Amino acid sequence: MNFYEIAKNRQSCRCYDSTKPVEEEKITAILESARLSPSACNGQPYHLSVCRGENAKAVAKATMGMGMNKFAADAPVLLVISEKPYVKSAALGAKVKKNDYRSIDIGIVAAYITSEAAAQGLGSCILGWFEDDDIRKICGLEGTVRLVITIGYPKENDKLREKKRKTLEELVTQL
């Protein structure tokens, strides 16, 4: 698949095949793509925790408050993205320009992770609803948890849904 095909076909998976484990080489490819993602001053101000088995189940449970994200229980892999400190040059730039580069960098790495998952034939879903303290304890993290990404094979009946997006005219101004 080329990148346009990945963007066109990738969707948030909410229906995982819990009986089909994800091969280690596919997780490695996802992590290598994440490692290569751009970040301010190449600082990579985040940490990735790969959760499988009981750890994945515990993290999934920490995303299900108030009835949310029930599908996470069936995902065989959950990636937790937590914050790390800025490198000095990015910290200075963030302060001077009043811009949160760390959040931008975390968004970029999440896009790389989900795109590579799609390229590997896997489904993924980015979760922002979770219990930070619980996940930090499960993963032994000091930094704030920013995102959790579920990864696994979609069930056969999880068909591609129509994308509802703004038109280019609504989204873009060409000057």
Side-chain angles (χ1 to χ4, degrees), residues 37-40 46 103-113:
S37 70
S39 61
Y46 43 77
S103 290
I104 295 166
D105 294 344
I106 288 170
I108 293 168
V109 77
Y112 270 58
I113 288 166

Side-chain angles (χ1 to χ4, degrees), residues 33-71:
S33 291
R35 186 180 69 81
L36 295 172
S37 70
S39 61
C41 303
N42 294 317
Q44 298 176 299
Y46 43 77
H47 180 80
L48 308 176
S49 299
V50 181
C51 302
R52 297 180 188 88
E54 291 306 313
N55 287 327
K57 291 188 183 314
V59 170
K61 184 177 178 186
T63 71
M64 293 188 224
M66 296 180 67
M68 300 291 285
N69 303 319
K70 291 179 183 177
F71 62 89

Side-chain angles (χ1 to χ4, degrees), residues 148-165:
V148 175
I149 302 176
T150 57
I151 297 174
Y153 285 97
K155 284 188 177 177
E156 290 294 322
N157 63 351
D158 189 35
K159 302 296 180 202
L160 187 62
R161 299 179 298 273
E162 178 185 347
K163 291 198 182 280
K164 296 177 183 173
R165 303 290 193 269

Side-chain angles (χ1 to χ4, degrees), residues 50-110:
V50 181
C51 302
R52 297 180 188 88
E54 291 306 313
N55 287 327
K57 291 188 183 314
V59 170
K61 184 177 178 186
T63 71
M64 293 188 224
M66 296 180 67
M68 300 291 285
N69 303 319
K70 291 179 183 177
F71 62 89
D74 292 329
V77 178
L78 280 83
L79 284 179
V80 174
I81 304 175
S82 57
E83 282 188 0
K84 296 296 271 184
Y86 282 119
V87 294
K88 289 180 182 181
S89 54
L92 177 62
K95 186 172 183 160
V96 169
K97 291 299 181 181
K98 296 179 175 61
N99 203 345
D100 183 7
Y101 299 125
R102 190 168 28 215
S103 290
I104 295 166
D105 294 344
I106 288 170
I108 293 168
V109 77

Side-chain angles (χ1 to χ4, degrees), residues 16-32:
Y16 291 100
D17 183 347
S18 62
T19 67
K20 195 169 181 184
V22 177
E23 298 87 345
E24 190 61 38
E25 59 270 13
K26 291 187 177 192
I27 296 300
T28 299
I30 291 167
L31 296 172
E32 279 295 330

